[in-house]
Amino acid sequence: MASAYIRLMAQTTDIIQAHWAIPLGFIAALMPRKTPIVVTCHGSDCTLAYSNPWLRLFLRKTFSRAERVVAVSDYIRQIAVSLGAQDVEVIYLGVDTEKFRSPM
């Protein structure tokens, strides 16, 4: 985790896209610069925090600093909102099965 923070601090960026609210979103939230942060919640980063008060503290810090929060499903969006995220957008993960077909 420390190496990710050090690498992030060494770069100048216009926006930070953090996959997983914990740990990457939290690392980005600790940055002293006010670079906008977009956090994508994939699942266990929110579901584990829902049942663990310590992880919930990290997640709330992440959400309070995030400019935008994205969830990969409506279920994860609901959990993120219950944990303090504001205005969460759902962008489903998936594959276009018409475009990408199995050769079998």
Side-chain angles (χ1 to χ4, degrees):
M1 210 161 107
S3 65
Y5 182 78
I6 291 167
R7 293 184 126 228
L8 194 55
M9 288 296 295
Q11 297 178 10
T12 302
T13 57
D14 295 326
I15 190 166
I16 297 169
Q17 203 312 324
H19 282 276
W20 303 99
I22 300 170
L24 300 176
F26 182 71
I27 292 168
L30 294 177
M31 289 192 45
R33 293 191 302 263
K34 297 300 177 194
T35 306
I37 301 169
V38 176
V39 175
T40 302
C41 298
H42 289 271
S44 61
D45 49 345
C46 289
T47 58
L48 290 174
Y50 189 76
S51 60
N52 184 316
W54 288 104
L55 290 178
R56 202 173 310 138
L57 293 172
F58 290 105
L59 199 60
R60 288 196 174 130
K61 169 67 174 174
T62 301
F63 289 154
S64 71
R65 181 68 176 78
E67 183 80 19
R68 190 78 156 146
V69 177
V70 176
V72 299
S73 70
D74 190 55
Y75 174 73
I76 298 302
R77 182 194 68 76
Q78 291 175 24
I79 291 174
V81 168
S82 74
L83 293 170
Q86 306 273 325
D87 192 30
V88 180
E89 180 178 354
V90 175
I91 300 177
Y92 294 99
L93 298 178
V95 174
D96 183 343
T97 57
E98 294 299 317
K99 187 174 183 178
F100 300 100
R101 292 182 178 262
S102 172
M104 296 180 184

